[in-house]
Amino acid sequence: MIASLVGFLGDFDLAEEAAQEAFAAAAERWPRDGTPVNPGAWLVVTARNRAIDRIRRDRTLAAKAHLLDVPEAVEDEMEETSIPDERLELIFTCCHPALALEAQVALTLRALGGLSTEEIARAFLVPVPTMKRRLTRAKRKIRDAGIPFSVPADHLLPERLAAVLAVVYLIFNEGYGGRGELAAEALRLGDALALLMPDEPEVHGLLALMLLTDARRDARIDQGELVLLADQNRSRWDAAQITRGREALDRALALQGRGAYVIQAAIAALHTDESRDWRQIAALYGELVRLTGSAVVELNRAIAVAEADGAEAGLALVDRLDLDGYQYFHSTRADLLRRLGRAEEARTEYERALELAHARAERRFLRRRVAEVSA
């Protein structure tokens, strides 16, 4: 509904206010008069009429006078099927590169996730007034810069779609770190994108990656303590979600998907196997390194190589990387040193990882490791 109204009005604030007024009218009228045949259409048409009335009343919005030429619709006459699904246009508007990344994330959660400003502020641990200003600036920039409410042209679509997927995955990772409501919103957005863009393999790849990763969430923490993947109780994994994830991956592969999200989803699927094929996992990480050039991905390849060929081989790859400010670089190096019996060096690396860690469960895990190698 918000997507349809933003597309019609070109103004986020006016669209949200009109939607609120429409719902208020429904709460008053429907119990008395009965639910309309097409409730969604009734709400959209009512909201549009309320917005037009507001523009008529407010002469300071003369710049939007062209809206007054729109014929007034009669409430409850519009067929629900005639309301265009404009969520895809809204997603690309929220994730426009002219907006700062933090604004893209906040606006996506507000407009498409339906989260309140207070909920978004709480999820990202910022004061509510700060988040309100962030959203206001983003909406104003969209309006003032004339950012189009549209799906990008074909030659721009790959780059713009990559930005949209990156925002959704960022939201998911924030949630997977402990804020479950954000992970749930990312999954919902992933489902919506897969529905709206059924022929884009990377969309299905991202959805598969999130489903397969999130399926293990309940087993990742046990009584407040972090549990490594190898030690997790598989009975606590969500089998139905793993099945959905594998189906999404199959769809991506059927579409000839070979992008970064498809490869990551394939790796996540291999991690759900009872016996993990570490050589295949290492090979997939190698392809991902080729695509991304990411040192973090190379670190993950080193972990897989260590499982396949031994800690010494993995450590040789880790020591070629420059990731001093990255927590998992130090925890990975510490674990390999521990396995090689180099306890003093391992303790130094665990302590450095602890300095960089923020999640409480991870900090407790690292403290235990420090104690173990110090004994």
Side-chain angles (χ1 to χ4, degrees):
M1 181 175 172
I2 290 293
S4 176
L5 292 169
V6 171
F8 176 71
L9 298 166
D11 187 312
F12 274 88
D13 287 329
L14 185 57
E16 289 181 346
E17 290 165 7
Q20 290 167 5
E21 290 183 13
F23 276 105
E28 178 186 351
R29 294 186 193 180
W30 293 3
R32 182 187 67 216
D33 302 333
T35 304
V37 176
N38 296 311
W42 190 98
L43 286 165
V44 170
V45 173
T46 300
R48 287 182 178 183
N49 289 341
R50 296 298 174 95
I52 291 170
D53 288 342
R54 175 170 296 200
I55 292 169
R56 283 197 172 94
R57 290 194 306 268
D58 192 346
R59 296 305 174 187
T60 65
L61 296 180
K64 296 189 175 69
H66 67 279
L67 293 176
L68 302 184
D69 297 330
V70 177
E72 290 216 30
V74 178
E75 292 174 4
D76 206 22
E77 279 190 2
M78 190 178 192
E79 289 295 326
E80 190 167 6
T81 54
S82 67
I83 300 174
D85 187 341
E86 294 179 298
R87 286 177 297 168
L88 192 57
E89 287 86 345
L90 185 57
I91 290 173
F92 279 102
T93 301
C94 291
C95 297
H96 195 278
L99 302 174
L101 180 59
E102 60 183 18
Q104 294 179 31
V105 171
L107 199 56
T108 299
L109 288 172
R110 181 77 182 92
L112 283 146
L115 273 66
S116 69
T117 304
E118 290 76 14
E119 287 173 320
I120 301 169
R122 186 166 60 248
F124 286 96
L125 306 177
V126 300
V128 173
T130 300
M131 185 56 68
K132 284 182 178 177
R133 288 193 295 272
R134 189 175 295 175
L135 286 165
T136 299
R137 285 195 299 270
K139 293 173 183 177
R140 187 184 300 127
K141 184 158 190 176
I142 287 172
R143 183 192 65 210
D144 295 346
I147 290 174
F149 185 81
S150 63
V151 176
D154 288 347
H155 70 286
L156 295 174
L157 188 58
E159 181 182 348
R160 291 288 306 283
L161 178 59
V164 170
L165 298 181
V167 166
V168 174
Y169 194 39
L170 176 60
I171 293 170
F172 175 78
N173 282 325
E174 287 287 340
Y176 191 69
R179 301 163 198 159
E181 73 280 6
L182 286 180
E185 284 304 324
L187 285 167
R188 198 180 69 78
L189 289 169
D191 277 324
L193 280 169
L195 180 67
L196 295 166
M197 305 186 78
D199 297 324
E200 290 290 341
E202 280 289 80
V203 170
H204 295 284
L206 175 59
L207 178 60
L209 173 61
M210 294 191 298
L211 286 167
L212 291 165
T213 303
D214 189 68
R216 305 193 302 261
R217 182 154 50 98
D218 287 346
R220 186 170 178 259
I221 304 294
D222 184 25
Q223 297 180 342
E225 301 297 331
L226 179 68
V227 182
L228 297 179
L229 180 58
D231 301 323
Q232 288 176 10
N233 181 352
R234 287 173 172 255
S235 68
R236 297 184 65 189
W237 290 3
D238 188 329
Q241 194 160 303
I242 290 173
T243 298
R244 281 192 62 211
R246 288 182 175 276
E247 289 171 351
L249 176 59
D250 288 343
R251 172 65 177 161
L253 293 172
L255 291 168
Q256 305 300 312
R258 298 293 184 271
Y261 290 113
V262 175
I263 293 173
Q264 289 177 83
I267 292 169
L270 288 171
H271 278 303
T272 65
D273 291 342
E274 190 71 40
S275 178
R276 283 180 281 178
D277 186 338
W278 286 108
R279 293 193 185 281
Q280 188 175 357
I281 292 172
L284 285 171
Y285 271 126
E287 177 62 16
L288 197 56
V289 169
R290 188 188 67 79
L291 281 177
T292 66
S294 167
V296 172
V297 174
E298 179 66 11
L299 177 66
N300 282 287
R301 186 175 82 90
I303 294 170
V305 168
E307 293 296 329
D309 299 327
E312 195 74 57
L315 185 61
L317 293 176
V318 170
D319 284 345
R320 286 163 28 189
L321 301 174
D322 182 13
L323 288 168
D324 183 59
Y326 186 54
Q327 169 194 336
Y328 301 111
F329 168 77
H330 294 284
S331 60
T332 297
R333 191 166 190 275
D335 187 61
L336 296 174
L337 289 166
R338 178 183 61 84
R339 288 162 58 180
L340 291 168
R342 294 158 63 177
E344 187 61 31
E345 293 173 85
R347 182 169 69 89
T348 300
E349 290 294 316
Y350 279 129
E351 288 173 344
R352 176 62 177 143
L354 185 58
E355 290 174 5
L356 296 166
H358 297 288
R360 280 179 290 202
E362 292 183 353
R363 289 182 62 81
R364 283 194 294 270
F365 173 83
L366 291 167
R367 287 194 192 99
R368 288 203 308 275
R369 284 289 199 236
V370 169
E372 288 170 10
V373 296
S374 300

